[in-house]
Amino acid sequence: MTSEPTWETHPVTPSRFDDFATVVNPNRRANHCWCLSHRLTAGEIGELGGHRADQREQAARALGRRRHPPGVVTYLDGDPVGWCSISPRSQITRLDRSKLMPPTDDVPVWSIICVVVRSGFRKRGVTGHLIEGAVDWARSQGAPAVEAHPVDPKGRMDLTMAFVGTRSMFERAGFEVVGTTDAVASKMPRLTMRRTLTT
C-alpha cells in the first residue's frame, strides 16, 4: 500500500540554504539566478563582482540571516522541491521602489515575487503546496495580506518568465485580482492579486 506523500514548507534560514540552492541553482553556476535582483539595488549587485558566483552566493546566504528570510522552501518527503520568494513588500527593494507596480493601498502586504519548482518535480502538485506554505509562513509572522503579480496567459508562456506565476495558479490558492500594473512579463500585463489574511 502506497503511503501519502508528506509535504512541509520552511523559511530559508541559514541551515536550509543548501536546500534553497538545490532548487534554484544546484550546480552553483556563476551566471545563474540567486534570486537577488529584486532585493538588492543595481549598485549592490555590481559590487558583488559581476558573475562571481561565490560573492553572489554569499549575498544570498546573508539574506537568510535577516529577521525575515527571503522566502520558503517546500519539501516532498523530505526532498527540497520548490522555492517561493516572499517577505514584506517593504523589504523587497526593487518592488518597493517600482513605479510600474505601485502599492495597491496602505496595507503592509507581504509579496511573492518568484515561484520555482525544481527540475524533475513539475506537474506533481508542488506549486499549490508551495504557495500555501508561503502564505502560512507570512501569516505566522503577522502579515495582514499577501500579494503576487502574475500574468494571465491564454496559452503557453515563455518559461524564462514563468517564475512570476499565472492568474489561475494564484486563484486556486485563494487570491483575487485587485488591480493591474504597468509591468509586463512575456509581453503580458502583470496583475496584482491578493489574499487577505486578517479582517
Side-chain angles (χ1 to χ4, degrees), residues 31-48:
N31 60 350
H32 203 68
C33 181
W34 281 108
C35 217
L36 293 173
S37 63
H38 283 79
R39 296 182 177 277
L40 302 179
T41 65
E44 289 170 331
I45 292 176
E47 291 171 1
L48 297 178

Side-chain angles (χ1 to χ4, degrees), residues 147-169:
E147 283 189 350
H149 299 285
V151 295
D152 188 13
K154 304 306 179 188
R156 295 176 63 86
M157 66 181 293
D158 182 352
L159 292 181
T160 62
M161 296 303 295
F163 70 89
V164 304
T166 64
R167 174 176 179 166
S168 61
M169 175 192 303

Side-chain angles (χ1 to χ4, degrees), residues 20-88:
F20 156 71
T22 294
V23 177
V24 303
N25 194 354
N27 298 316
R28 303 294 205 276
R29 287 182 290 180
N31 60 350
H32 203 68
C33 181
W34 281 108
C35 217
L36 293 173
S37 63
H38 283 79
R39 296 182 177 277
L40 302 179
T41 65
E44 289 170 331
I45 292 176
E47 291 171 1
L48 297 178
H51 291 305
R52 285 189 54 187
D54 58 337
Q55 292 191 8
R56 289 174 176 261
E57 179 176 339
Q58 291 308 312
R61 285 183 181 276
L63 291 175
R65 294 192 289 271
R66 292 182 175 180
R67 176 189 172 197
H68 294 125
V72 297
V73 168
T74 287
Y75 299 79
L76 171 58
D77 294 331
D79 204 7
V81 295
W83 153 252
C84 179
S85 180
I86 180 173
S87 60

Side-chain angles (χ1 to χ4, degrees), residues 42-188:
E44 289 170 331
I45 292 176
E47 291 171 1
L48 297 178
H51 291 305
R52 285 189 54 187
D54 58 337
Q55 292 191 8
R56 289 174 176 261
E57 179 176 339
Q58 291 308 312
R61 285 183 181 276
L63 291 175
R65 294 192 289 271
R66 292 182 175 180
R67 176 189 172 197
H68 294 125
V72 297
V73 168
T74 287
Y75 299 79
L76 171 58
D77 294 331
D79 204 7
V81 295
W83 153 252
C84 179
S85 180
I86 180 173
S87 60
R89 178 186 168 106
S90 61
Q91 295 179 14
I92 304 172
T93 303
R94 183 174 171 186
L95 180 60
D96 196 44
R97 297 179 180 178
S98 176
K99 294 181 179 179
L100 298 178
M101 293 189 289
T104 303
D105 48 36
D106 294 332
V107 175
V109 300
W110 282 46
S111 295
I112 291 174
I113 57 172
C114 183
V115 177
V116 176
V117 175
R118 180 179 167 190
S119 178
F121 290 90
R122 299 187 177 102
K123 299 186 183 301
R124 294 175 63 177
V126 175
T127 302
H129 290 280
L130 180 58
I131 295 175
E132 197 62 41
V135 169
D136 286 346
W137 162 246
R139 181 189 290 111
S140 76
Q141 300 301 298
V146 176
E147 283 189 350
H149 299 285
V151 295
D152 188 13
K154 304 306 179 188
R156 295 176 63 86
M157 66 181 293
D158 182 352
L159 292 181
T160 62
M161 296 303 295
F163 70 89
V164 304
T166 64
R167 174 176 179 166
S168 61
M169 175 192 303
F170 284 98
E171 283 182 336
R172 287 193 296 271
F175 286 68
E176 297 179 346
V177 176
V178 294
T180 58
T181 76
D182 292 325
V184 296
S186 293
K187 299 181 180 179
M188 291 177 283

